Amino acid sequence: MATKPPKHDIDETRLHLSRPKKVAVGVPAVLHALQIANDQMGVTRSVQTLMRVNQKDGFDCPGCAWPEEDKRHLAEFCENGAKAVAEEATVRRVGPEFFAAHSVDDLRAHDDWWLGQQGRLTHPMILDEGATHYRPISWDDALKVVADELGAVDHPDEAVFYTSGRTSNEAAFLYQLLVRGVGTNNLPDCSNMCHESSGSALTETIGIGKGTVSIEDIHEADLLIVAGQNPGTNHPRMLSALEKAKQRGGRVIAVNPLPEAGLMRFENPQTARGVAFGGTKIADRFVQIRAGGDQALFQAIGKYLLEAEERDGGVIDRAFIAEHTSGFDAYRREMADADWSELVTATGIPETILREIGEEVRVSKSTIVCWAMGLTQHKHSVPTLRDVVNVLLLQGNIGRAGAGVCPVRGHSNVQGDRTVGIYEKPAEEFLEALDREFSFTSPRAHGFDTVEAIRAMRDGRVRFFMGMGGNFVSATPDTAVVEAAMARVDLTVHVSTKLNRSHAVTGRRAVILPTLGRTDRDRRGGAEQRVTVEDSMGAVHASRGRLAPPSEDLLSEVAIVARLCGRLFGDDHSQAMGTRSHRGDPERGLPEHGAIEPHDEPVHASRDRANVPHADWHALETDYALIRTHIERVIPGFEDFENRIQKGRTFFLPNGPRDERRFATVDGKARFTANPLEYPTIPEGRLLLQTLRSHDQYNTTIYGKDDRYRGIHDGRRVVLVNVEDIRRLGFAADEIVDLVSEWTRPDGSVEERRAEQFRIVAYSTPVGNAAAYYPETNVLVPLDSVADVSGTPTSKGVIVRLEHRR
Ligand SMILES: Nc1nc2c(c(=O)[nH]1)N[C@H]1C(S)=C(S)[C@@H](COP(=O)(O)OP(=O)(O)OC[C@H]3O[C@@H](n4cnc5c(=O)[nH]c(N)nc54)[C@H](O)[C@@H]3O)O[C@H]1N2
Ligand SMILES: Nc1nc2c(c(=O)[nH]1)N[C@H]1C(S)=C(S)[C@@H](COP(=O)(O)OP(=O)(O)OC[C@H]3O[C@@H](n4cnc5c(=O)[nH]c(N)nc54)[C@H](O)[C@@H]3O)O[C@H]1N2
Ligand SMILES: [Mo]
């Protein structure tokens, strides 16, 4: 059993290349996943664990948010799901001895791969001010440190609470309650860097910040446009759904600057046909678009449809447009004014091809557009997604079978976290319901999103940072700025399963609270607890880990948050379910969150005692079903929650556009919008860099050193560049260069950032476009370069130049 952690960081001198693959998954994927699983878990635990992924009585795969098909295969096999599971179910451990042996400086000198490979965290640890090493601390003392620091902030808005997307509904719901009980809406989350642009565009145009399709719709669609997404790596189970759609006669158009293997061909390891006959061709058409050209592509489709309507009639769904939409005339005028030659320039696609794509959309009886980070992480992502919606509205492709919008979410419960209240700009109805349920008054002022939180930390306006999962330091843009910002915070607290860079780049003091993951058995109050998650398509189901946890000392996320609530707000047994007395006074208006004296338990006793949430925190910690009862009473759509998740059942949250073509927008209609065309302009001698994922990573967690489908092995510091650019700019393939990003501030001045030693790889990408892996390239993404409206960092559109190394 080879379960030793690696001794070395990634040695980039061993990097070598092979031909990029044209087929995804197949037998090599199975073998690679089993290898990683065996390394981390040994054979028996691997088999035991992998058999339980996404089974009805098993745990929800921590890999991605793609839904389970109803008829599940025994091992719903997905290579990267298996790697995600192996990473968590590893038998390697990071305990007090590890921290005694490694100073924080030492940890900081290692890469994300090395850190993650060390294993699961087993003990609460604290880094005292000025200390070189973390030391073990008891749970009680650790939680006291956290509560005391929260009590010491001058104003609740000096505290920031980040959430990553693996946190269960139950833990997330309690966590947002804790945060609002403290008195702030500072709840930045990974969504701010991920699908926020989708949420912004969809809420505004169709009245819900989520997709409108089910897995059956994917199977039934006549046409699927998959844009800005690499499902072969990041949502491998989606390939089975696309395969099914193809078998039913559906067509797929892939829109991407890179010819990603999973978009081309898929060998399903679940079927003999997949393995023996070379698999299924996925994309009927591959559109190698210029990065950032998607708004132009969708405008071209819209323009084509409207021209065809004018000429032939019968193209657009006039009844749907009249009954359910607004803004059509303004959109039609905008498209009439759109200029084909500019659409060609922006996309890099000839007009004849743009028209062919338009024709494919015209003849499609039902169309779905799927997308991920290639569409959400640009400056003009929100207008781009509005134009996606426009095209679908033209043919009434929302709220009927086989049609709709499908933003493919990343983290396995990122959508659920938002549903249960992880949001810095909460809706008034949600806060009112929360206040009623817990007899207090939540703060109304909006909080910081991720980028705003970093700015506040940088400017010394934050004294306390807590991360519920995730790896804030590595995942966020502008690494150097973030690292300096973290150092200004008095206390940084991380609830984590595994070691990562955020434990090494800390505030003046730091606490690590180790926690259970999805795969771990969670016994509280003498019973095995389960949690719930919501997938990318709004379906909620239970998840229960079965493996022995890495240490008896671990608390679940729910238990950690419930205990903190108990310390901060006081246990209030009279507030047990059903016996609530309404002490809060809604007439009083906004609460005063003034200075809080540091106190022992409960910390808030000295201030407005009436204005803290009231619940029996201890009871919630020992019976998660009680949390679900609270969720049911606060959030519409969770009626009869407990019953509807029994026996592995799944239920759908209500979705107005999907269920009844009801659009909760400002005017109650689905809204056409007229968006002036935007696309990146790349200055002479520069490239537009997208920062993306390799096949062997999960965000900042690096599973291995290969990107098998792209033919890159044993290294990560590569920059993929078109051969023509390599030559034109005076470089050579294989040359080691520095990447320098150039950010033009609104006042016209230019800021530079540098990432050193990347090997140039000649690759099929449009002229002017380049690609390199995140998180290594986050140093290049300027903090202030964010998408309009959504505030998402522009991780797919960074202007860079290559520099020879001296
Ligand atoms: N194994 C694995 N699974 C994961 C993750 C992981 O890291 N590893 N991460 C999870 C998370 S949090 C997320 S959000 C998702 C991410 O899933 P993806 O969005 O698929 O991830 P990225 O690697 O960022 O890939 C972006 C894709 O968009 C393309 N692209 C870039 N710019 C443009 C553009 O301007 N236009 C178009 N049309 N395409 C463009 C890129 O070439 C690439 O294929 O995956 C989730 N699942
Ligand atoms: N340049 C660039 N930057 C990006 C992106 C990009 O494409 N390019 N993508 C962005 C996107 S889409 C996202 S979603 C973010 C991701 O940002 P994050 O979600 O913050 O990052 P992850 O790497 O997923 O977090 C990994 C850590 O989560 C912890 N963890 C794992 N499972 C659990 C659990 O069950 N509970 C708890 N408490 N902790 C757990 C482990 O300690 C692990 O080290 O990054 C963003 N940053
Ligand atoms: Mo994400």
Side-chain angles (χ1 to χ4, degrees):
M1 189 163 95
T3 49
K4 285 201 188 63
K7 290 204 174 55
H8 305 290
D9 296 274
I10 297 175
D11 173 6
E12 297 287 342
T13 61
R14 302 176 52 160
L15 187 131
H16 57 278
L17 307 175
S18 64
R19 285 175 76 86
K21 296 271 180 299
K22 295 202 172 72
V23 182
V25 194
V27 174
V30 179
L31 297 178
H32 183 57
L34 290 179
Q35 179 61 48
I36 288 195
N38 287 344
D39 287 354
Q40 295 276 2
M41 305 190 268
V43 177
T44 322
R45 191 168 158 102
S46 296
V47 173
Q48 215 185 19
T49 310
L50 296 181
M51 303 269 281
R52 295 246 181 237
V53 188
N54 289 344
Q55 297 303 307
K56 289 207 175 200
D57 60 344
F59 56 85
D60 180 66
C61 179
C64 73
W66 188 259
E68 282 79 54
E69 310 255 341
D70 210 38
K71 242 180 70 209
R72 295 172 216 199
H73 298 279
L74 177 57
E76 250 245 305
F77 182 81
C78 154
E79 176 191 4
N80 278 347
K83 290 191 240 169
V85 167
E87 187 77 19
E88 180 172 296
T90 180
V91 296
R92 301 171 186 163
R93 299 289 175 262
V94 171
E97 321 73 51
F98 173 90
F99 286 103
H102 296 279
S103 69
V104 175
D105 280 347
D106 179 15
L107 297 180
R108 207 177 292 149
H110 283 294
D111 61 21
D112 285 294
W113 184 62
W114 188 93
L115 292 172
Q117 292 292 307
Q118 302 309 309
R120 286 287 298 274
L121 294 158
T122 57
H123 286 71
M125 304 293 300
I126 185 164
L127 181 68
D128 297 309
E129 186 155 7
T132 55
H133 291 69
Y134 276 94
R135 65 171 170 87
I137 182 173
S138 70
W139 274 107
D140 265 359
D141 290 346
L143 294 175
K144 181 173 183 318
V145 168
V146 177
D148 285 352
E149 188 69 35
L150 269 175
V153 297
D154 290 329
H155 190 282
D157 290 338
E158 291 177 356
V160 163
F161 300 82
Y162 176 69
T163 314
S164 173
R166 280 200 189 171
T167 297
S168 65
N169 289 334
E170 289 75 3
F173 181 76
L174 269 197
Y175 185 58
Q176 61 82 31
L177 180 61
L178 168 99
V179 175
R180 298 193 161 109
V182 166
T184 179
N185 283 310
N186 283 345
L187 279 158
D189 70 344
C190 68
S191 213
N192 298 144
M193 300 181 273
C194 187
H195 266 293
E196 198 69 61
S197 303
S198 311
S200 300
L202 294 175
T203 305
E204 180 191 323
T205 55
I206 62 168
I208 189 168
K210 301 181 180 184
T212 67
V213 300
S214 68
I215 192 83
E216 286 74 29
D217 290 319
I218 300 277
H219 298 159
E220 288 171 27
D222 206 16
L223 175 66
L224 288 137
I225 302 180
V226 181
Q229 200 200 339
N230 179 20
T233 286
N234 298 313
H235 305 91
R237 286 180 299 114
M238 180 176 173
L239 297 183
S240 320
L242 294 179
E243 183 186 38
K244 210 168 274 179
K246 302 270 331 200
Q247 285 162 359
R248 294 196 186 184
R251 292 176 58 79
V252 174
I253 299 180
V255 182
N256 203 304
L258 305 179
E260 307 283 26
L263 295 171
M264 301 303 157
R265 202 165 251 291
F266 169 53
E267 283 181 8
N268 191 339
Q270 235 95 246
T271 63
R273 205 175 46 148
V275 176
F277 297 104
T280 308
K281 181 169 175 238
I282 296 291
D284 298 279
R285 182 192 285 279
F286 168 53
V287 183
Q288 190 159 29
I289 197 166
R290 287 196 179 132
D294 304 85
Q295 188 191 5
L297 173 68
F298 283 92
Q299 290 203 350
I301 299 171
K303 185 176 177 68
Y304 179 88
L305 294 177
L306 287 163
E307 284 180 2
E309 171 71 15
E310 200 104 309
R311 204 178 48 235
D312 314 328
V315 173
I316 65 176
D317 186 342
R318 290 206 170 262
F320 173 82
I321 292 172
E323 191 183 343
H324 293 292
T325 73
S326 65
F328 174 67
D329 286 333
Y331 172 64
R332 187 176 50 188
R333 279 195 300 275
E334 186 77 25
M335 289 309 96
D337 290 347
D339 171 19
W340 279 109
S341 69
E342 201 181 6
L343 298 175
V344 168
T345 306
T347 53
I349 308 294
E351 184 176 332
T352 47
I353 305 286
L354 290 176
R355 288 181 180 277
E356 281 175 29
I357 298 167
E359 180 60 18
E360 284 192 57
V361 177
R362 188 185 73 80
V363 299
S364 162
K365 290 188 260 318
S366 57
T367 302
I368 291 175
V369 182
C370 303
W371 72 86
M373 298 304 99
L375 260 58
T376 64
Q377 296 176 333
H378 283 288
K379 175 162 192 304
H380 59 305
S381 283
V382 174
T384 298
L385 292 166
R386 287 183 194 136
D387 272 321
V388 169
V389 171
N390 285 333
V391 164
L392 291 171
L393 292 179
L394 280 177
Q395 293 176 298
N397 271 320
I398 291 202
R400 63 185 174 87
V405 285
C406 181
V408 182
R409 306 298 304 251
H411 267 301
S412 52
N413 197 41
V414 61
Q415 185 157 316
D417 291 347
R418 203 35 92 76
T419 301
V420 301
I422 303 294
Y423 191 26
E424 74 280 359
K425 303 181 191 74
E428 179 57 28
E429 307 84 80
F430 171 80
L431 294 180
E432 276 169 19
L434 193 70
D435 292 356
R436 223 177 307 119
E437 179 70 8
F438 296 100
S439 309
F440 81 123
T441 308
S442 311
R444 261 42 184 188
H446 289 176
F448 299 140
D449 66 13
T450 295
V451 166
E452 289 162 348
I454 296 167
R455 288 190 188 125
M457 294 196 293
R458 175 196 63 193
D459 299 343
R461 289 182 279 133
V462 172
R463 291 180 58 182
F464 175 96
F465 174 94
M466 180 163 175
M468 179 54 69
N471 181 1
F472 192 82
V473 167
S474 285
T476 50
D478 226 344
T479 314
V481 174
V482 174
E483 297 200 356
M486 286 304 260
R488 296 200 68 178
V489 175
D490 286 337
L491 178 70
T492 51
V493 180
H494 284 96
V495 180
S496 311
T497 52
K498 310 227 15 198
L499 193 64
N500 64 47
R501 193 161 175 83
S502 299
H503 305 124
V505 178
T506 66
R508 278 188 270 279
R509 293 194 300 156
V511 169
I512 300 175
L513 303 175
T515 194
L516 298 175
R518 279 290 163 71
T519 53
D520 300 316
R521 190 173 53 227
D522 184 1
R523 283 189 77 83
R524 304 283 132 191
E528 272 188 31
Q529 303 292 332
R530 53 189 175 170
V531 294
T532 58
V533 292
E534 174 184 344
D535 67 30
S536 197
M537 295 180 179
V540 178
H541 63 91
S543 170
R544 182 199 301 226
R546 297 298 176 97
L547 294 175
S551 139
E552 289 310 315
D553 224 20
L554 291 189
L555 290 183
S556 66
E557 293 177 342
V558 167
I560 292 170
V561 179
R563 286 187 193 184
L564 269 177
C565 286
R567 281 185 175 268
L568 287 166
F569 311 137
D571 255 322
D572 187 346
H573 297 282
S574 70
Q575 296 303 310
M577 311 298 289
T579 58
R580 296 170 351 261
S581 62
H582 285 259
R583 286 200 234 164
D585 179 2
E587 299 297 301
R588 228 164 10 115
L590 297 192
E592 278 273 310
H593 288 290
I596 308 159
E597 293 298 317
H599 256 279
D600 263 334
E601 312 170 32
V603 172
H604 281 201
S606 69
R607 61 168 193 165
D608 190 357
R609 177 73 177 90
N611 195 34
V612 295
H614 296 279
D616 185 344
W617 309 110
H618 181 72
L620 299 185
E621 175 188 335
T622 46
D623 182 2
Y624 300 177
L626 298 176
I627 306 175
R628 288 190 280 277
T629 308
H630 283 300
I631 293 176
E632 174 173 346
R633 291 206 289 237
V634 172
I635 302 163
F638 284 93
E639 295 76 20
D640 202 19
F641 195 174
E642 200 60 23
N643 191 28
R644 285 199 288 169
I645 55 162
Q646 296 302 338
K647 303 202 181 79
R649 280 204 296 267
T650 289
F651 70 91
F652 282 90
L653 290 171
N655 185 306
R658 182 194 65 205
D659 303 339
E660 42 184 331
R661 290 188 157 177
R662 193 171 40 74
F663 301 98
T665 58
V666 281
D667 59 5
K669 303 275 187 192
R671 294 167 63 80
F672 278 100
T673 49
N675 308 289
L677 178 64
E678 290 177 63
Y679 57 97
T681 46
I682 308 168
E684 184 44 41
R686 309 296 185 264
L687 297 169
L688 188 71
L689 178 79
Q690 61 148 321
T691 60
L692 79 181
R693 293 154 172 82
S694 87
H695 193 61
D696 265 3
Q697 75 182 84
Y698 194 92
N699 299 337
T700 70
T701 299
I702 311 301
Y703 301 138
K705 299 165 286 185
D706 299 330
D707 194 1
R708 199 173 69 245
Y709 295 157
R710 299 196 185 107
I712 292 155
H713 307 276
D714 267 327
R716 292 179 49 85
R717 294 184 84 83
V718 290
V719 56
L720 314 185
V721 186
N722 183 298
V723 271
E724 230 177 90
D725 284 322
I726 299 177
R727 196 173 34 80
R728 192 174 49 90
L729 299 173
F731 292 85
D734 236 25
E735 181 178 344
I736 311 271
V737 294
D738 289 349
L739 306 179
V740 183
S741 82
E742 300 176 355
W743 157 243
T744 310
R745 313 191 108 270
D747 69 5
S749 59
V750 177
E751 282 177 16
E752 293 197 348
R753 291 167 173 77
R754 180 177 296 267
E756 296 189 339
Q757 301 201 37
F758 283 73
R759 192 181 300 247
I760 298 180
V761 173
Y763 204 85
S764 173
T765 182
V767 169
N769 291 173
Y773 302 131
Y774 122 88
E776 287 84 347
T777 46
N778 260 339
V779 287
L780 297 172
V781 185
L783 187 65
D784 289 336
S785 176
V786 296
D788 296 331
V789 185
S790 67
T792 297
T794 59
S795 309
K796 296 290 187 277
V798 186
I799 299 286
V800 297
R801 66 171 191 270
L802 309 180
E803 262 191 17
H804 298 286
R805 288 180 61 81
R806 275 179 280 270

